[in-house]
Amino acid sequence: METAIPKTSFKDKTNKVLGINPQDALISKLYMSVSFIALLIGGILGLVQGLNRAGLLELPSWLNYYQVLTAHGLLLVLVFTAFFTIGYFYAALSHTLGGLLPVVRKMAWVGFSLKIVGFVLAVVPIIMNEASVMYTFYPPMAAHPAFYIGLALIVVGVWVCAFGAFIQVANWRKNNKGQHVPILAYFATAVFILLFFGSVPVAIEVLVMIIPWSIGWVETINVMVARTLFWAFGHTLVNIWYLTAVSAWYVVVPKIMGGRRWSDVLTRVVIIGLVVMNITGGFHHQIVDPAINEVVKYMHVFMSLAIGFPSLMTAFALFAVFERTARRKGGKGLIGWWKKMPWGDVRFLAPFIAMVAFIPAGAGGIAQSTNQLDGVVHNTMWIVGHFHLTLGMSVAMTFFGISYWLVPYISKRVLTPAMNRLGVIQTILWTVGMIFMSGAMHWVGLLGSPRRTSYTTYGDHATALSWDPYLTFLAVGGTLLIIAVILQVYAVFNMMFFAPKGDTEFPIAEEEDNATKTPYWTERWGIWIVVMLIVVAMAYVIPLTDMIVNAPPGSPPFKTW
Amino acid sequence: MKMHLDEKIWLTLSFGMIMAFMLFTGYQAVALEMGPPSHMETIDPQKVDQTAPFDNPGIKQIGENEYEVVMTLQVFSFNPSNFEIPAGATVHFILTSKDVVHGFEVAGTNINTMVMPGQIQKITQKFDKPGNYLVLCNEYCGAGHQVMSTTFTVK
């Protein structure tokens, strides 16, 4: 039974009375708005693609499939997720560390402006069909320089927000010496550390290599080095969104179902593990590349799979919380306790399904990091299926679940039963849509259907024609998903501006009463960053040196679209 | 850190599973020589046509039922295209790109690799099953990416 010891500090009291500071709330509201508008546009573009790929929709001559694909990728992978993460963690920092410092608030605004300017600079060339290079922008395909300058500004904007978060946390630590940073602020620290260090390689790629080359100051580019720097960033980025979702799984979901947090020590160890091991995981995108020898590739199997371990720990911890909480509420038997979970509450249902989706999604990740298995699925639709299962299900759906309390919280409104019901319907639609779409993608990918390709039958080749039925399932899934997207975006803006006024709690679960005391070494981020840099050096110094020393003559820019 | 028995069991299983994946991968790569295509040789991407063996792309018999296919990839085609090989032949594909990054996939087989400008890539496969095989580019390479394909016949 619940025997909570009331531990109400002054800060908690003021939070209860005043709620979030209106200036902090405005920042989060703005970030959420951009995020969900990006979801809507990106989602519509996704549907257009899905229908075209299945051969059900012919695009008008002024709209290129690859233009749509580039915009879809940028909007969802960069804008939707990044803006959500920053809006969510800035609200969490404000809530758990007693309001944002004025300088941090200013940095959030500066970061926001840089990102928006960068985004516009990147989007204009895409719309003009001057940058149909995908969000991976592999050289020697060369887009308009404005596209890269825009991307660089987005990265700088993210850095400003990351440093804002560091200043906020450092200030709290100075005023609360010897204490542990509250858990959500701890998650935020980890995420911003990864955002900063993970984007350093891509910043080098874009600023030092691509921009001078696309403008024409230098003639050629080292293709392998650029690609390797990209993936040091690319995979870290998706794992950052995953870590953001995990923060809600560990901290928020237990509170929503009326339980306690699982071991604080384990949580912090998992976070440190994910930070230290993450950046090197990107290398598995290059398993079938030339110019990297087999020994290095095999070392990277270790480095990629290592990330699986903290995730497997997470899986245990979360289901342990579910079982414990459900049994406390009187759930019995091996299966019976499942009935005691709050299935009708969208704030629980959405992140729960997201976690379940991570079981096949994570298994797919392990398959892909393993040399020979990757050879089978590399660059096929299977990868796209995996991507939609991880980012589209595990991450996006957790974000959706968060929105049903975070948006009311920052807007000083409440989640009504009607909106909750809409959320449940939205969650089910999204789930069914993803099962269809991602399932079809995985299957057709195993049969060899390539990714990032517009509608084609390869001259009516029998093999290609045999893929068509699966692609129809893909389109059906995509159609359900767009309905879910529209409901979700409607819900967010309704909760932001029209829901009844009232106070909504920022749900943070307490630790168990008899929890082990967390050792203070978990707070030594300086050490963990050094360890992370050593791991990154182990992973990248040898192959990058080799690619530079034994470089072929470089490549000039090509515009192939 | 105090741990529950179930948690210890789970962690042991998790750790064991990941180690098993690693060991199998290592065994396949080292003992069975099934490592991923990782050729290290370079070439000037702007002089592919003048550089051997790519100055003369095509199929060449190099042993008893063993063939070499020297192939260049460029937007949006494979050269040579539509060739024939006898059933049971072992084929060594030697590939490079004359422009951007391409993919080289033979649908329904384990041939799947990246072909980068400036790099020579090699991949080998034995073809026992007769039929018409679809070769396609699986790395986005431009506006005509979806037409970049060819076939070959195993007789």
Side-chain angles (χ1 to χ4, degrees), chain A residues 64 66 132-134 136 138-141 220 223-224 227 262-263 265-266 269 285 287-294 297-298 301-303 305-309 312-317 324 366-367 370-380 445 447-456 458-459 461 463-464 467 514-516 546 550-556 558 560-561, chain B residues 1-8 10-19 21-30 33-46 75-76 98-103 105-122 132-152:
Chain A
N64 180 322
Y66 302 106
S132 299
V133 290
M134 312 279 135
T136 45
Y138 294 137
M141 269 193 294
T220 60
V223 174
M224 278 306 296
R227 180 180 169 81
W262 187 253
S263 155
V265 196
L266 178 109
V269 169
H285 289 254
I287 288 174
V288 296
D289 275 15
I292 301 162
N293 69 39
E294 282 184 28
K297 284 181 182 174
Y298 183 52
V301 174
F302 279 78
M303 299 199 128
L305 289 186
I307 306 172
F309 195 60
L312 284 159
M313 290 163 88
T314 301
F316 182 89
R324 217 182 249 215
I366 290 179
T370 313
N371 284 351
Q372 279 70 250
L373 292 177
D374 180 70
V376 179
V377 297
H378 176 82
N379 270 354
T380 65
L447 301 176
S449 182
R451 68 167 179 167
R452 293 176 154 189
T453 298
S454 70
Y455 177 64
T456 176
Y458 292 113
H461 194 279
T463 308
W467 300 330
N514 55 354
T516 322
D546 191 46
N550 298 319
S555 285
F558 288 93
T560 54
W561 64 90
Chain B
M1 186 166 29
K2 178 181 70 186
M3 263 202 236
H4 304 258
L5 180 62
D6 302 353
E7 193 171 3
K8 282 185 191 152
W10 170 262
L11 288 184
T12 311
L13 284 176
S14 302
F15 190 71
M17 184 180 82
I18 288 181
M19 286 309 292
F21 259 86
M22 289 177 177
L23 292 176
F24 277 127
T25 304
Y27 175 73
Q28 287 178 317
V30 178
E33 296 186 335
M34 284 163 61
S38 312
H39 200 63
M40 304 295 285
E41 218 175 322
T42 61
I43 183 173
D44 185 339
Q46 301 190 65
V75 286
F76 299 101
K98 286 161 76 171
D99 40 52
V100 298
V101 178
H102 294 287
E105 179 191 328
V106 182
T109 72
N110 283 346
I111 301 185
N112 187 347
T113 189
M114 300 301 299
V115 182
M116 317 285 298
Q119 303 286 341
I120 297 170
Q121 181 66 303
K122 292 187 178 174
N132 188 258
Y133 286 80
L134 174 64
V135 182
L136 56 92
C137 170
N138 67 11
E139 183 62 84
Y140 167 68
C141 59
H145 170 55
Q146 69 281 358
V147 303
M148 184 161 168
S149 68
T150 187
T151 61
F152 63 83

